[in-house]
Amino acid sequence: MRSALLFVACLLSVAPSALGQSWLGFNAAVPKVAPGYGSGVSVATPGVATTPIPGVATPSFTSVAPTLVPTTRPWKLGVVVRNTDIGAIVQTVEPNSAAQVAGIIPGDNIIAVSGTRIGEFDGRVVDIGEEIKRYVDGSGRVPLLIQDSRTKGLRASVVTLASAATSLSGTVSIADRSSLPPGSVLTVQLQNLTRPFYEVAGGKAVLKAEGTGPFRFDLFIDPRYLTPTDQYQLTSLVSWNNQVLYTLRQPLLVPVQAINQQYNLLLDRAVSTAAATPTGGVVTASLPASPSLPGQVNTDALNQVFVSLLGRQPSSRELIAWQEYMQQGHTLNDVAAKIMASPQFRERYATDQAYVQQVIQTLTGKLATSNDVNYWVGRMQTLGSPEKMIAELTAQKR
């Protein structure tokens, strides 16, 4: 037992390297395949800075000013591609997607988006999803240069993308009707109460809020991140210069069935957790700095798991939620299994077979046979969730 623990400690002390690095017996090799939502990715209107990972990454409440996360509708092309030095080769096309309507089929090569070459060349990847974000217009139209896999001829098409988002909209008002100072920032977020370590893709907006309001917000949520049996809540606050000015006293419970309704939020003055400081007559409370993570959880190890499986660092809220999960007695293996069961990980794969193949490889370090893949795809369908399938597979591995 001591030798196993020593192995784990030595392994986690090594800086994360390529995505093939293993931890705690897991082989976290994630292939370079663009996910299927958007270009795979969700895309927003041009000229707006957004994150390249599906599911908007939440800005940390640190000493740095919050990063604005605009409320823009995500657009969906509906393909999974493989980046090459000649373009993005289409692997799969979703039925009834914008790509199918545009006549794109597996094997076609998307060479450029609005004149910008895409693919993997000169030691870098020019991602189709990022270029679609850059060039798509407000109606979802974007120019593509495509090489037909059948005729090898080139065609230029203006493709009209689809929006698959579930909209949650409303207004935020200030209870005492005070005028917010210039530079104020409004944050509205839909949170998963049942599984707080799962962030809802598209479920957060960080906007400028100046004056007396009310202030409108729109969240465009990826419906795959909503589980009918989970509980969700809507939270909101206004901050200025890293100080909380107003907050929603009681988060509002939002049933999945009522996501499409309008919500009008009323914010009260924040109660200071430190010495109150008057700022223009408003009592403020400091936003916490970098999250304080008590206990013996190795945050570097958590970061390594996230980077290996999702290709990104966890947000502050995710980091805190996962640490609380581990303090309940769960291990990094449990965290990895939960992440692999999440929509963020699953959406990287076009089919259940490809997804299960990667799960088996990550858990065992071995390539699964087609019989094994088909068996576990069947188990996943029978059990009704990837989480239960992974739990069963992990139990057999032990």
Side-chain angles (χ1 to χ4, degrees):
M1 183 65 177
R2 288 187 61 188
S3 61
L5 292 175
L6 180 60
F7 168 75
V8 170
C10 292
L11 181 60
L12 292 179
S13 67
V14 179
S17 59
L19 296 184
Q21 182 172 1
S22 63
W23 73 91
L24 298 178
F26 281 13
N27 178 27
V30 179
K32 287 184 179 179
V33 178
Y37 189 68
S39 56
V41 262
S42 302
V43 295
T45 50
V48 177
T50 57
T51 57
I53 304 298
V56 177
T58 55
S60 303
F61 283 155
T62 66
S63 57
V64 181
T67 301
L68 298 183
V69 181
T71 56
T72 51
R73 182 174 293 278
W75 299 103
K76 181 178 181 180
L77 177 57
V79 297
V80 171
V81 302
R82 177 171 55 87
N83 288 315
T84 72
D85 59 358
I86 59 172
I89 308 297
V90 176
Q91 304 295 290
T92 61
V93 178
E94 293 182 17
N96 304 314
S97 65
Q100 186 181 66
V101 172
I104 297 172
I105 64 172
D108 284 355
N109 180 17
I110 303 176
I111 297 174
V113 176
S114 193
T116 298
R117 179 185 173 190
I118 60 173
E120 185 172 5
F121 48 87
D122 297 334
R124 63 192 180 100
V125 173
V126 181
D127 182 65
I128 180 175
E130 290 305 294
E131 297 312 309
I132 288 178
K133 284 182 186 180
R134 188 187 309 275
Y135 294 113
V136 65
D137 68 17
S139 298
R141 294 176 302 225
V142 64
L144 301 179
L145 179 63
I146 304 165
Q147 182 181 40
D148 191 294
S149 58
R150 295 160 295 192
T151 67
K152 304 305 179 184
L154 296 178
R155 74 176 187 271
S157 298
V158 176
V159 178
T160 300
L161 306 180
S163 177
T166 296
S167 176
L168 188 157
S169 304
T171 61
V172 174
S173 301
I174 306 302
D176 63 12
R177 300 184 180 179
S178 294
S179 180
L180 299 178
S184 295
V185 173
L186 168 67
T187 301
V188 181
Q189 184 171 16
L190 184 70
Q191 299 173 341
N192 188 323
L193 275 177
T194 306
R195 291 177 286 183
F197 37 75
Y198 284 169
E199 293 200 343
V200 180
K204 184 169 185 176
V206 183
L207 312 167
K208 289 183 179 180
E210 299 175 356
T212 57
F215 308 98
R216 180 174 175 82
F217 68 89
D218 297 279
L219 304 179
F220 299 107
I221 299 164
D222 185 340
R224 295 172 302 172
Y225 287 71
L226 299 174
T227 303
T229 55
D230 285 359
Q231 288 187 314
Y232 297 86
Q233 68 177 13
L234 197 60
T235 64
S236 182
L237 62 84
V238 170
S239 61
W240 174 82
N241 196 26
N242 292 321
Q243 305 290 315
V244 177
L245 301 183
Y246 292 90
T247 185
L248 190 63
R249 293 290 185 200
Q250 186 67 38
L252 183 64
L253 292 178
V254 179
V256 171
Q257 299 78 4
I259 289 289
N260 288 315
Q261 295 183 8
Q262 291 280 321
Y263 291 90
N264 300 314
L265 309 179
L266 188 65
L267 305 191
D268 295 309
R269 287 191 180 189
V271 177
S272 176
T273 56
T277 304
T279 305
V282 177
V283 178
T284 63
S286 296
L287 284 167
S290 299
S292 176
L293 301 174
Q296 300 302 313
V297 176
N298 187 329
T299 56
D300 289 340
L302 278 171
N303 286 334
Q304 179 184 337
V305 172
F306 254 78
V307 170
S308 295
L309 291 176
L310 297 179
R312 66 173 177 84
Q313 298 281 345
S315 68
S316 295
R317 184 171 184 271
E318 285 175 319
L319 200 57
I320 293 169
W322 280 116
Q323 191 196 34
E324 290 174 351
Y325 175 75
M326 292 186 67
Q327 287 176 337
Q328 297 168 12
H330 300 287
T331 66
L332 280 173
N333 280 2
D334 298 326
V335 171
K338 287 277 189 185
I339 291 175
M340 284 190 291
S342 71
Q344 288 188 48
F345 184 81
R346 191 176 178 186
E347 73 180 0
R348 300 168 76 93
Y349 305 94
T351 65
D352 286 346
Q353 285 74 16
Y355 166 70
V356 168
Q357 170 76 63
Q358 184 58 47
V359 168
I360 295 173
Q361 182 177 345
T362 303
L363 287 173
T364 67
K366 302 176 182 177
L367 286 173
T369 66
S370 59
N371 287 339
D372 286 340
V373 170
N374 291 333
Y375 171 78
W376 286 108
V377 168
R379 289 300 297 154
M380 181 171 68
Q381 294 169 350
T382 300
L383 294 169
S385 77
E387 194 165 352
K388 291 179 180 178
M389 180 271 292
I390 290 173
E392 189 173 295
L393 179 59
T394 303
Q396 284 198 12
K397 178 175 176 282
R398 291 172 182 165

